[in-house]
Amino acid sequence: MRSLLVLTAALIAPLALAACGDASTPAADEAPKAPPPPALTDAEKAALLAALPAPYDAGDLENGRRAFARCRSCHTITPNGPHMAGPNLYGVFGRQAGSDPKYSYSHAVRNAGFAWDAEKLDHWLQNPKSFLPGNKMTFAGLRDATDRRDVIAFLKVETGYRAEP
């Protein structure tokens, strides 16, 4: 009887594992994701900040990180990061509003007709509902202009922004 159980387990185990699939192999319709870039050093962040156009070159990255903490419950900022209640913001600068096919944007954002830049993000962060009526973002906004400047500088440094040559 014990031999029968061992034999049965030996036959079933490979089938069960095969049914699970190999999580490291992407599905046929999914392109393999590039590995994330290495984390920036403080010196690299300072250099990127200094290269930003005014007024963002005077931004306080630590204050921007703290102010962005209010956004983290809905947004991620890492390469290939997941969408949450809001879309992943990595690479947001220069991206057409509402263009990520893997996120369900509101009709207002999908049809906004602009690419994100610092000026548009500043207006959005000040009051998302009045900047683009009909969007689904529930955040009331950042009233303080310094906080908005610092969040934008923080996002430019942390989300892969590269200035046009």
Side-chain angles (χ1 to χ4, degrees):
M1 180 69 167
R2 185 173 180 174
S3 305
L4 182 60
L5 288 175
V6 171
L7 181 60
T8 303
L11 291 173
I12 292 176
L15 293 174
L17 290 174
C20 292
D22 181 2
S24 66
T25 305
D29 61 345
E30 182 182 323
K33 292 181 179 171
L40 297 173
T41 66
D42 288 341
E44 290 169 326
K45 289 178 183 182
L48 286 171
L49 178 67
L52 294 177
Y56 307 104
D57 59 343
D60 178 337
L61 295 180
E62 183 57 26
N63 184 53
R65 184 191 61 76
R66 281 192 305 271
F68 185 76
R70 296 174 243 181
C71 312
R72 286 193 190 274
S73 62
C74 296
H75 296 280
T76 59
I77 59 172
T78 57
N80 303 314
H83 295 303
M84 295 171 51
N88 176 289
L89 299 177
Y90 192 85
V92 68
F93 293 100
R95 183 188 321 161
Q96 192 69 19
S99 65
D100 189 324
K102 294 180 180 171
Y103 183 75
S104 178
Y105 295 94
S106 65
H107 182 74
V109 174
R110 272 193 323 270
N111 296 303
F114 63 81
W116 287 107
D117 60 19
E119 181 181 331
K120 287 189 177 52
L121 187 58
D122 183 54
H123 290 300
W124 173 273
L125 289 173
Q126 185 175 18
N127 188 332
K129 293 295 179 195
S130 66
F131 175 72
L132 195 59
N135 77 73
K136 65 182 182 180
M137 189 162 157
T138 59
F139 183 62
L142 291 173
R143 301 288 180 241
D144 185 76
T146 300
D147 284 347
R148 290 193 312 274
R149 178 204 65 192
D150 294 348
V151 165
I152 292 167
F154 171 77
L155 287 174
K156 282 183 175 266
V157 168
E158 296 291 333
T159 64
Y161 170 80
R162 298 297 174 256
E164 301 270 333

